[in-house]
Amino acid sequence: MKNKNKFLSLWSAKIAVPLMVVSLLFASCSEENTIELDPFNSISENVAFETPALIDLSVTGMYNGAQLGNFNGAGARGYVFGAAYIQQGDNRGEDVVNLAAFYQLTYTGTYDPTTANNVYYWADAYRLINRTNIVIEGVEKAAASGIITQEVANDYIGQAKFFRAIAHNELLIFYAKPFQDNNGANLGVPYREIPYNTPANIELGLAQGRNTVAECYTKILKDLNDAETLLFSKSARVGAAKIERITKEAAIAYKTRVHLHMRNWNGVITEGLKLNGLYSMTANPDTPFASNSSNTESIFSIANGATNNPGANGALANMYHPPIPAASNGRGLVAISPIIWRDPSWLSDDKRRTEGTMIITGIGSYYPNSKFTKKYKDGVNKTDAAPIIRYAEVALNMAEAYARNNDVANGLARLNSVRNRSLADPTTQAFTATSFSSNITLLGAILKERRIEFLMEGRRWADIHRLQNDANFPIAGVPAKAANGGFSSASTALAAYALGTPYSGALGVNAIPYDNFKFLWPIPQLELDSNPTLREQQNPGY
């Protein structure tokens, strides 16, 4: 996306409005009232939709907002769909080990309403949502004025509605109870559908409270259904834009995720079937990462470039790749946990364990014998994309839905479509109909495969969230984790990561029960200080 990715939202509040509204402002109520298109050229929001070129830049600005975010005034950290989307989702779960202070509050569950990570997850999500609403309004007016065709306008609006839907969905997973708790009647998050770019609209934002979880999901699905109708197909995109720009297929794929969280198994299958023949799993499990802008499996990823990335404090390769060699620029702040590394379901000769390709083992003075991911490879230029959804997830979403509907044959086929390409010898190691005594044992294998396949991709917390009190494989709250700080000595790590038996070592971070208030993140205090409605709707316990 070249220079178009330099489209940034600049804001510095001059009036007392809540964080959710301040951080949403695209170019209004700001000292500069500008949208920076590149370091040498800025325009006001009033003219951002006056030409086709500027409209395209305005749409690109949504991607930039999703990719970078603004962390505590200190610049980009990859909120809300860049690196932070992966990192926070991983560190809330038990399949990684936090090694430094950077993610410690998330990993140990010691956050509060002022903790920067969860404050800016909220703030940057709503900033992105406001960008989408401004784009929708501006593009609709531009189409009505004949500045762009209705066909082009529809595609732009579809991209905006997709971002609006997935941002609200992400907020639900961190700040609200899962759908199956009280059938969606619990408080969700405020669903924002108007731009906060006028005093009147800002006043509405100051008073808006939380929709219920069910109401949010209804709106999410409406936005995604609209997006599916409005968006161009990937066949109309060129080159990397087939993955780096939102497509009709991305909206369909994401709906399989939403229906899975709503436990609407038929909905998962219906949407997934629409993608038959349009995507396929790559032959090697590393290809979606080694060639993340051009492969048959990635459906939508947030792009990064050498001159446009969230910096060393946000880039995935810097955070996850260890400093081996030093020139890799890796910081290795998060390792793979022995909890999943030693799980017997993950075969010892699985290709996803391949040293130097998908795995790096610590050596020398940096966590020797601990295991790190190498999914993200470019710590120098920081060009690794943040994967939002891959066809592997669609397949496993469908596998789970089939299994829960007691359709073992189709569930097994979808599971094997993901798992088999990682097996050393599929002819002897692939699952068959005789591998499972029932659809429930098949379901267990599918859920375990998700932990292996999406390790270090940020998906674990979403599964923990939706599996609370599951009838067949319930998770009770946030699972206990390996000790914060990991295994500092070579001998301790060697024992901790030794394959052959499940991990039974110390768990230094206690589980958080589901009924403990720490299961959910708090609404930010700055938000509550300005919005009296939300002040009365804070998650209990904070």
Side-chain angles (χ1 to χ4, degrees):
M1 289 184 271
K2 299 181 180 178
N3 288 337
K4 293 181 180 181
N5 270 338
K6 296 176 182 175
F7 182 106
L8 304 174
S9 172
L10 301 180
W11 57 271
S12 55
K14 304 300 287 185
I15 58 176
V17 293
L19 176 66
M20 178 165 61
V21 177
V22 172
S23 64
L24 295 182
L25 298 185
F26 192 57
S28 57
C29 296
S30 72
E31 183 175 2
E32 298 293 336
N33 268 341
T34 64
I35 302 170
E36 185 183 354
L37 298 180
D38 59 49
F40 311 103
N41 181 33
S42 296
I43 63 170
S44 75
E45 181 196 333
N46 294 330
V47 300
F49 299 94
E50 289 191 352
T51 71
L54 292 176
I55 293 168
D56 189 62
L57 286 172
S58 300
V59 172
T60 301
M62 295 188 301
Y63 290 82
N64 190 263
Q67 170 205 15
L68 300 179
N70 189 304
F71 183 85
N72 202 23
R77 290 281 181 87
Y79 289 83
V80 64
F81 288 111
Y85 164 77
I86 309 295
Q87 295 153 359
Q88 298 298 326
D90 283 337
N91 279 277
R92 289 220 66 191
E94 80 280 34
D95 288 341
V96 305
V97 181
N98 181 60
L99 303 179
F102 207 91
Y103 301 113
Q104 182 173 342
L105 299 182
T106 298
Y107 186 76
T108 59
T110 49
Y111 29 76
D112 62 39
T114 67
T115 305
N117 283 333
N118 39 289
V119 166
Y120 286 93
Y121 214 85
W122 173 283
D124 284 331
Y126 277 112
R127 180 189 288 110
L128 172 61
I129 289 165
N130 200 55
R131 285 175 180 262
T132 70
N133 290 330
I134 288 175
V135 165
I136 291 169
E137 180 183 71
V139 166
E140 287 176 341
K141 290 179 180 178
S145 300
I147 298 171
I148 55 176
T149 67
Q150 190 61 55
E151 182 184 34
V152 171
N154 287 346
D155 183 55
Y156 287 156
I157 293 168
Q159 292 175 61
K161 287 195 171 188
F162 178 89
F163 267 137
R164 186 168 73 182
I166 72 170
H168 281 107
N169 186 65
E170 190 68 12
L171 289 166
L172 279 179
I173 293 169
F174 282 90
Y175 296 92
K177 292 291 184 71
F179 183 85
Q180 71 268 20
D181 186 329
N182 204 18
N183 199 34
N186 294 320
L187 289 177
V189 297
Y191 207 95
R192 304 276 173 180
E193 298 174 281
I194 61 172
Y196 296 103
N197 56 356
T198 67
N201 282 4
I202 288 172
E203 287 303 314
L204 292 174
L206 286 167
Q208 184 178 353
R210 299 169 71 172
N211 294 87
T212 66
V213 171
E215 288 170 344
C216 287
Y217 274 121
T218 297
K219 291 176 179 292
I220 287 167
L221 284 174
K222 182 181 185 306
D223 273 346
L224 290 173
N225 285 331
D226 288 349
E228 179 188 356
T229 300
L230 295 168
L231 282 161
F232 291 153
S233 173
K234 71 167 183 171
S235 62
R237 307 264 191 245
V238 177
K242 293 177 182 290
I243 294 172
E244 295 174 358
R245 284 278 178 160
I246 298 161
T247 62
K248 182 185 300 291
E249 291 81 11
I252 295 168
Y254 203 92
K255 279 193 286 181
T256 70
R257 181 184 293 180
V258 173
H259 283 300
L260 195 71
H261 280 258
M262 296 179 71
R263 309 180 78 77
N264 178 8
W265 316 128
N266 290 336
V268 175
I269 295 166
T270 297
E271 297 297 336
L273 288 173
K274 295 178 183 178
L275 299 178
N276 278 0
L278 299 178
Y279 294 91
S280 62
M281 253 59 74
T282 59
N284 189 300
D286 186 54
T287 302
F289 306 96
S291 302
N292 53 53
S293 64
S294 177
N295 65 82
T296 63
E297 183 176 326
S298 296
I299 298 175
F300 177 53
S301 299
I302 295 291
N304 289 293
T307 60
N308 184 56
N309 58 67
N313 283 332
L316 287 162
N318 295 104
M319 296 289 98
Y320 283 176
H321 195 298
I324 305 169
S328 70
N329 282 357
R331 300 172 66 188
L333 302 187
V334 184
I336 297 168
S337 174
I339 293 172
I340 188 63
W341 183 258
R342 289 176 56 173
D343 192 291
S345 297
W346 192 359
L347 300 182
S348 61
D349 55 2
D350 189 302
K351 294 176 184 177
R352 290 166 293 191
R353 294 185 183 273
T354 304
E355 185 73 25
T357 302
M358 299 196 76
I359 298 294
I360 296 180
T361 301
I363 59 175
S365 61
Y366 197 83
Y367 289 93
N369 296 323
S370 289
K371 302 295 181 179
F372 298 85
T373 187
K374 201 183 177 183
K375 284 183 174 179
Y376 314 107
K377 306 173 191 302
D378 185 11
V380 176
N381 292 313
K382 305 170 182 61
T383 58
D384 292 280
I388 302 301
I389 192 162
R390 298 192 280 122
Y391 191 57
E393 182 183 343
V394 174
L396 290 178
N397 291 347
M398 295 179 72
E400 180 174 342
Y402 280 126
R404 290 185 184 272
N405 278 350
N406 201 24
D407 184 342
V408 173
N410 278 309
L412 174 62
R414 295 287 177 168
L415 169 60
N416 279 342
S417 74
V418 177
R419 182 175 180 268
N420 282 5
R421 51 94 176 264
S422 295
L423 299 177
D425 184 5
T427 59
T428 60
Q429 294 174 320
F431 290 134
T432 67
T434 60
S435 301
F436 306 105
S437 60
S438 69
N439 67 308
I440 302 304
T441 55
L442 170 63
L443 175 61
I446 293 166
L447 294 176
K448 189 64 62 68
E449 182 65 19
R450 294 179 67 89
R451 292 174 63 183
I452 299 167
E453 177 66 23
F454 304 128
L455 181 61
M456 313 303 280
E457 291 184 58
R459 302 305 312 145
R460 182 56 181 154
W461 171 247
D463 279 352
I464 289 171
H465 184 268
R466 72 180 179 86
L467 291 171
Q468 296 301 307
N469 302 315
D470 183 80
N472 303 118
F473 293 93
I475 299 177
V478 183
K481 309 173 186 180
N484 184 65
F487 308 93
S488 57
S489 74
S491 59
T492 303
L494 186 65
Y497 286 94
L499 298 180
T501 58
Y503 179 71
S504 59
L507 296 174
V509 177
N510 293 331
I512 299 175
Y514 180 59
D515 59 3
N516 187 293
F517 72 98
K518 291 285 188 177
F519 180 81
L520 296 179
W521 277 355
I523 297 174
Q525 188 62 45
L526 288 174
E527 187 76 76
L528 306 179
D529 289 343
S530 298
N531 186 324
T533 305
L534 286 178
R535 193 179 311 142
E536 298 301 318
Q537 295 179 332
Q538 173 64 290
N539 284 327
Y542 289 104

